[in-house]
């Protein structure tokens, strides 16, 4: 990894709605202005999907994008802890546990403004880029990639890892930790018992 000083990480299965193609188009953009940034791709899928995405990375001439395959939770925690941002531009992600896992490691997130993450990701933890209606088509995926690349460049310029990272950890502790969940249940039970 000669010349790599920072990394951004995508984690997800290789399904079209996870929009790994847009992440690869984004990498093609930010590699131009940030040649010291590597993109780590964690996940897998059917053989055809792996070939498709690895082929796209090759076609785009990506020099600092690495496909790592599937990884377990301990490795994901290490990767998120070392990453500047996590990239999760899924279309209508039902909840987005990967956002919570990433933020718990002090890593801000970049996603798309749809689905579950739109209900809890705020500018304090990262950004959700505007949706791209025609994301299934290569031109739409490229446009989404430009939006993601713009957010990555902003995150690097503003040093989100340092400025937003600690707040991400507190956000997860306050809202998604076992303690927070149990306290919410106790509070609900008290409220219900007074009715």
């Amino acid at each position: 990894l000669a010349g790599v000083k920072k990394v951004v990480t995508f984690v997800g299965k290789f399904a079209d709605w996870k929009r790994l193609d847009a992440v690869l188009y984004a990498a093609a953009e930010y590699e131009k202005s940030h040649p010291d940034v590597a993109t780590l791709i964690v996940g897998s899928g059917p053989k055809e999907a792996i070939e498709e995405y690895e082929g796209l990375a090759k076609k785009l001439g990506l020099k600092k994008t690495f496909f790592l395959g599937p990884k377990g939770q301990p490795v994901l925690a290490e990767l998120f802890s070392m990453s500047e941002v996590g990239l999760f531009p899924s279309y209508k992600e039902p909840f987005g546990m990967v956002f919570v896992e990433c933020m718990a490691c002090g890593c801000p997130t970049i996603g798309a403004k749809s689905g579950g993450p739109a209900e809890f990701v705020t500018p304090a933890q990262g950004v959700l880029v505007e949706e791209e209606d025609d994301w299934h088509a290569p031109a739409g995926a490229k446009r989404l990639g430009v939006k993601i690349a713009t957010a990555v460049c902003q995150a690097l310029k503003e040093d989100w890892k340092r400025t937003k990272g600690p707040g991400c950890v507190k956000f997860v502790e306050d809202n998604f930790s076992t303690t927070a969940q149990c306290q919410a249940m106790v509070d609900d039970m008290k409220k219900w018992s007074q009715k």
Side-chain angles (χ1 to χ4, degrees):
L1 296 177
V4 173
K5 295 181 181 171
K6 297 179 178 183
V7 298
V8 299
T9 301
F10 165 91
V11 175
K13 60 184 169 185
F14 291 8
D16 69 338
W17 66 277
K18 292 289 188 177
R19 302 197 285 201
L20 175 53
D21 54 348
V23 171
L24 298 174
Y25 286 121
E29 293 295 318
Y30 60 73
E31 275 191 11
K32 295 173 192 171
S33 58
H34 295 88
D36 60 342
V37 174
T39 305
L40 306 180
I41 308 296
V42 179
S44 191
K47 183 178 184 228
E48 302 78 28
I50 295 169
E51 290 171 357
E52 174 187 348
Y53 293 121
E54 288 180 351
L56 179 58
K58 190 176 216 171
K59 178 181 169 189
L60 293 172
L62 299 178
K63 305 274 190 261
K64 301 268 173 73
T65 297
F66 304 95
F67 288 80
L68 306 180
K71 299 296 174 195
Q73 290 303 127
V75 173
L76 290 179
E78 287 183 40
L79 292 173
F80 288 146
S81 294
M82 74 168 75
S83 296
E84 298 300 309
V85 291
L87 304 179
F88 317 113
S90 300
Y91 180 70
K92 295 190 177 178
E93 179 77 49
F95 172 70
M97 184 56 78
V98 70
F99 284 83
V100 175
E101 294 166 343
C102 186
M103 289 187 281
C105 295
C107 183
T109 58
I110 296 172
K113 198 179 285 183
S114 70
E119 295 181 22
F120 67 88
V121 176
T122 71
Q125 297 95 35
V127 69
L128 298 176
V129 300
E130 290 298 326
E131 268 300 337
E132 184 60 49
D133 291 333
D134 193 26
W135 62 270
H136 277 102
K142 285 179 190 175
R143 285 191 300 272
L144 182 59
V146 168
K147 293 174 188 180
I148 295 166
T150 300
V152 168
C153 290
Q154 179 183 357
L156 295 169
K157 180 181 176 190
E158 296 174 2
D159 194 7
W160 286 5
K161 182 71 171 187
R162 183 182 58 77
T163 60
K164 296 179 188 262
C168 289
V169 175
K170 180 162 179 20
F171 175 76
V172 172
E173 288 173 347
D174 291 349
N175 295 281
F176 297 103
S177 68
T178 303
T179 302
Q181 296 297 309
C182 290
Q183 186 59 54
M185 287 181 3
V186 169
D187 292 346
D188 285 343
M189 288 170 53
K190 285 179 182 175
K191 188 170 38 177
W192 296 332
S193 67
Q194 294 171 357
K195 287 185 179 183

